[in-house]
Amino acid sequence: MRITFLSGLWALASSIWADVTCNVIGFPDILNGTYAVEINEKLYPLTTSKASFPLWSAKIPGITAPSSYRYVQLNHKNNVVAREKFLRHLTNKPATLNEFFNRQDTILTVPSIKQVYSDVRPKNSKPIDSSQIATIHITADPAQFTDMMYNPMDLESKAVKAGFKFINADTVYSADEVKIKVSGHASRKFDDDMGQTFFGRQAIKLRAEFTEPTMMREKLYLDLLNSIGVASYQGSYLCVYVDGKPYGFYLMVEDIDEDLLMHTIHHDTIRDKVSLRSLHQMGSSGIATMQYKGPLTANYNPRMYENKILGDNPENEPMQQFIAFMKDLRDWDPNATGGVAFWNARLGLKGFLRLMALEYLAASWDNYWYRGHNYFMYFNPQRKIWQFIPTDFDHTFTIGNHLDVETTYREFAHISLANSTEDRPLVTKLIYKNKEINKEFETILRTITEEVFNTKALDARINFYEIQIEQDVAWDFSIDRSKLPGREYGRTKCGQPN
């Protein structure tokens, strides 16, 4: 009898009427458009404000759970002009997630990838969430923003100040004033210049992936870096709107700066930026192979060997410590014994070998092994070694017309060197010429191939991303950018240039 009585109470509780707050992210595509939620065929208006837009909300009284609902768009006469074609389902929670109008799934279960080596990802990655697509809304002076967009290569132009709002399923972050500027060749960069940080990050980058029609290569490469224990930035997808208008679909990634070093490299064991040491960036517009060219900073192209953090270097010689590393690389005899011990004392060797194995496997033809650029070198004061930090992965898994991935790793180097005037000494001297390091590299290569770099391990994740982003990629391709400067690839349905 006691069990029956409790079951009766549970049945009664499940049908109690309660207030439910419904939340939808929406950008009306008609003048004075608004949103409402339709529950059991009854409409309830949603409201927003200058402070909360584009999030529309309302507390709906006396709703039983479970109930079916969907969002609708209304015109200025409160007539329905657009209705979601699918039904959502209320639970017994007091509020819905922050859902996006016409996107059926707010959060999806991401298929797992095996953790082959120790996980080095930071614990503090709240805005980076592969299970959902977030939204950024930017409000800026139209004239200033337009000027920035029409002059993307103007290196003297100042960053545009703008309002910034980030919304995902359970988070709303707002900043009244941030700086937005063109960064690199195809991305936008956000800097918080008001003394606050975006979940512990002073800057983020929005990568347009304009050379990559699937928009999955870089994200999958980041997943693989995580799987094999190589530290780099994290990233997840989002849609961007500017002043309420569609702007584009991006991969939001962390910037490689002091914040990333503290969170990702040092895992918050260093909290004072002054304690960070030398950081150098090797860009994407030339070659920075780490060949020793002399003892002075002036011997090296500052555009390709850019000092980002001075560290222990004198101000007039910002590359002094890194030059000493390159000299050790030049002077080291790869035929000598003890190669692993020698480089373990100077370099995060295991992480570097894992990274090079992945660069080869994924035909990463725009990074160190193949092109000699797109990486950072950081001197870790806790480990007292240099760490190789990779960046920019939109040109991974080939770009559709490269067959390098079908060859051996030794031939891969021959192909890359045939297209260059400079050697890659960290590859040729360590991986090719030193038998001890080569043996460790081949073990790593075999392990990665068997454990994670195969269709059995990756197909589910690839299929997941295809389904997750299909609607938003189509939305991105529908945006008219014909009047903006830039390169047009003219993609066909299969992603190849016409």
Side-chain angles (χ1 to χ4, degrees), residues 16-22 37 39-40 42-46 58-65 67 90 94:
I16 287 177
W17 290 53
D19 295 345
V20 177
T21 299
C22 293
V37 60
I39 303 177
N40 300 331
K42 183 177 180 180
L43 291 181
Y44 299 88
L46 304 176
K59 181 178 285 188
I60 314 301
I63 299 299
T64 59
S67 290
L90 288 171

Side-chain angles (χ1 to χ4, degrees), residues 268-280:
D268 294 323
T269 57
I270 288 181
R271 296 179 177 273
D272 183 1
K273 294 181 180 181
V274 177
S275 300
L276 300 173
R277 308 268 53 88
S278 303
L279 178 68
H280 301 272

Side-chain angles (χ1 to χ4, degrees), residues 284-323:
S284 61
S285 58
I287 297 175
T289 60
M290 286 193 249
Q291 283 197 340
Y292 180 75
K293 298 177 180 295
L296 303 177
T297 299
N299 298 134
Y300 301 85
N301 185 339
R303 291 183 59 202
M304 292 312 304
Y305 292 91
E306 183 180 357
N307 177 258
K308 307 292 284 188
I309 300 176
L310 188 63
D312 296 321
N313 299 289
E315 290 188 9
N316 63 334
E317 285 293 338
M319 285 185 61
Q320 186 180 84
Q321 190 178 16
F322 186 45
I323 289 172

